[in-house]
Amino acid sequence: MNTPSGPSQENPRRDAANWAQPVQKLQVQGMPAEAPNLVDGRRLVGPLQGFGKMWQKTYRVRLEDASVTPPALIETWKANFSSLWPRGNRFYTPLTGIAPGEVALISLAAGPMKLSTGVMVLYADAESFTLMTPQGHMFAGWITFSAFDAPKEGASQEGEGAEAACCVAQVQVLMRAQDPLSEIGLALGGHKAEDRFWSSTLRALAARFDSEAEPEIQIACVDPRRRWTEAKNVWHNAGIRSGLYVAGAPLRWLRRSGKRDDAG
Amino acid sequence: MPVIDLTGEVNSAAEASLNAAFTEATRNSPGTVLLNFAPVTYMNSTGIALVVALLAQARKARMQLLVCGLSEHYRHIFNITRLADFMNIHEDEASAITAATAPAAES
């Protein structure tokens, strides 16, 4: 176990093209004018940078009756990502689609208000893709969407070939609330809302393959400690920023009108 | 200091063996555990999530998790995922062991 070794550099990595390039701050490009952009200039934050308890939430749907391969399922999922979300929520897909390094904007229905945030595609290959959150998102973390073959329920391990296997679609969220306000929000219904969100998405995905399978949920607390040094993240809170953005709409309208008048 | 060599592909299939290796390595509650990535040939985002889970376990047990043997590509991944903010990264096992056994010099 203790043989001296250094990094191996000889071969180009097979996974290199699947990962986003390092970025200091996010830059949003090619989005429609109506997409509220509160993401430009933000840093990415992973599950280690947040404030609250760290959770791993796994949502799975088994497509027992559908004949689809994991790559075909992921292709469909990427191509229809936005339309599979529950009504009232919007994912502004980048022009080049879900590809490593691309930034997408998000508008989420949160009760009576809209929450504006975004994500960067951290990783994408033929059988999975991962989104990473920016500062201000309700939680700091990664969401990995994947598909894989698994034995059908009741099928013997010895197998009857492809007929004994079915495709499973999975959403796995590794997250912690970004700040104390988000932690309270998650505890007071945010977690349940998220569970409903991804269950609904998986149901919609299954329906694309004529399946009425019900999603399963597994939740594990990976780290029960809160990181009080990150309480300052509240400065970037998307809920507060979205509220300010909406409140500032008349001012932005007046400013644009003034510019038009000056030009005329 | 226990050293865990990660070999081949670090993806969802590696979860059971990586967790078993971590349990074995931390059986006697060492202060530090070293993850050696030099033999890794492929890692996806699920693999990175496994490393995060190990890091969380180590922090809970008040252990330090060190990393060595990262190629330039994997250093980029550790930077972009911001794992590098939380883990001491060393060039190779020798330098990691030296650093771990000389804490006074580092602090």
Side-chain angles (χ1 to χ4, degrees), chain A residues 1-2 5 13-15 130, chain B residues 3 9 40 43 45 73-74:
Chain A
M1 253 164 102
N2 271 322
S5 54
R13 298 289 181 178
R14 278 193 297 127
D15 54 31
T130 299
Chain B
V3 181
E9 303 200 352
V40 170
M43 182 160 59
S45 52
H73 169 56
Y74 289 132

Side-chain angles (χ1 to χ4, degrees), chain A residues 1-9 13-23 43-49 54 56 120 122-123 125 128-130 132 135 142 144 146 172 174 176 221-225 227 230, chain B residues 1-5 9 15 21 25 36-46 48-49 52-53 55-57 59-60 62 68-74 76-77 79-83 85-86 91-94 97:
Chain A
M1 253 164 102
N2 271 322
T3 48
S5 54
S8 61
Q9 307 276 8
R13 298 289 181 178
R14 278 193 297 127
D15 54 31
N18 301 335
W19 287 94
Q21 292 296 308
V23 285
R43 291 191 74 189
L44 289 165
V45 282
L48 294 167
Q49 278 81 33
M54 193 192 293
Q56 186 181 61
M120 190 192 80
L122 174 67
Y123 180 92
D125 66 19
S128 68
F129 56 100
T130 299
M132 186 171 179
Q135 289 171 320
W142 305 324
T144 297
S146 59
Q172 189 166 67
L174 189 63
R176 65 195 329 161
C221 184
V222 180
D223 183 0
R225 292 190 302 173
R227 302 182 59 245
E230 302 300 321
Chain B
M1 176 172 63
V3 181
I4 299 174
D5 288 326
E9 303 200 352
E15 182 171 7
N36 177 18
F37 279 78
V40 170
T41 56
Y42 182 93
M43 182 160 59
N44 65 11
S45 52
T46 306
I48 279 287
V52 171
L55 186 57
Q57 282 184 54
R59 286 164 64 85
K60 206 163 138 185
R62 303 195 183 283
C68 74
L70 291 176
S71 66
E72 196 182 336
H73 169 56
Y74 289 132
H76 282 322
I77 293 172
N79 282 329
I80 195 167
T81 56
R82 298 193 62 188
L83 269 174
D85 296 1
F86 280 82
E91 190 66 22
D92 50 32
E93 279 189 30
I97 290 165

Side-chain angles (χ1 to χ4, degrees), chain A residues 11-218:
Chain A
N11 294 322
R13 298 289 181 178
R14 278 193 297 127
D15 54 31
N18 301 335
W19 287 94
Q21 292 296 308
V23 285
Q24 281 298 316
K25 291 186 173 174
L26 293 178
Q27 273 194 316
V28 182
Q29 290 171 333
M31 284 290 152
E34 78 269 14
N37 178 4
L38 303 182
V39 170
D40 246 346
R42 296 286 177 85
R43 291 191 74 189
L44 289 165
V45 282
L48 294 167
Q49 278 81 33
F51 164 81
K53 295 178 179 180
M54 193 192 293
W55 298 93
Q56 186 181 61
K57 303 169 91 176
T58 307
Y59 310 87
R60 254 180 222 151
V61 66
R62 301 168 59 85
L63 305 179
E64 296 264 349
D65 303 323
S67 59
V68 59
T69 62
L73 185 137
I74 289 295
E75 198 179 337
T76 302
W77 206 345
K78 283 179 181 169
N80 301 283
F81 194 73
S82 184
S83 64
L84 295 170
W85 276 21
R87 193 186 298 265
N89 300 283
R90 183 91 194 263
F91 181 88
Y92 295 91
T93 312
L95 289 174
T96 47
I98 294 177
E102 293 292 345
V103 179
L105 296 178
I106 292 174
S107 176
L108 294 172
M113 64 179 286
K114 288 278 183 190
L115 214 54
S116 303
T117 177
V119 283
M120 190 192 80
V121 182
L122 174 67
Y123 180 92
D125 66 19
E127 297 189 359
S128 68
F129 56 100
T130 299
L131 307 178
M132 186 171 179
T133 57
Q135 289 171 320
H137 196 88
M138 297 71 71
F139 61 82
W142 305 324
I143 311 171
T144 297
F145 306 85
S146 59
F148 52 90
D149 281 326
K152 280 187 179 173
E153 295 204 332
S156 65
Q157 288 290 340
E158 290 75 38
E160 298 134 39
E163 286 175 10
C166 70
C167 189
V168 178
Q170 176 175 291
V171 180
Q172 189 166 67
V173 187
L174 189 63
M175 56 170 279
R176 65 195 329 161
Q178 288 229 17
D179 57 64
L181 279 183
S182 301
E183 180 79 337
I184 292 168
L186 285 171
L188 296 178
H191 276 302
K192 282 191 175 152
E194 192 190 29
D195 296 347
R196 282 196 300 273
F197 187 100
W198 292 120
S199 297
S200 167
T201 300
L202 285 177
R203 256 181 235 114
L205 178 65
R208 292 259 166 177
F209 299 97
D210 299 322
S211 168
E212 293 180 359
E214 269 301 299
E216 310 154 10
I217 306 177
Q218 285 176 354

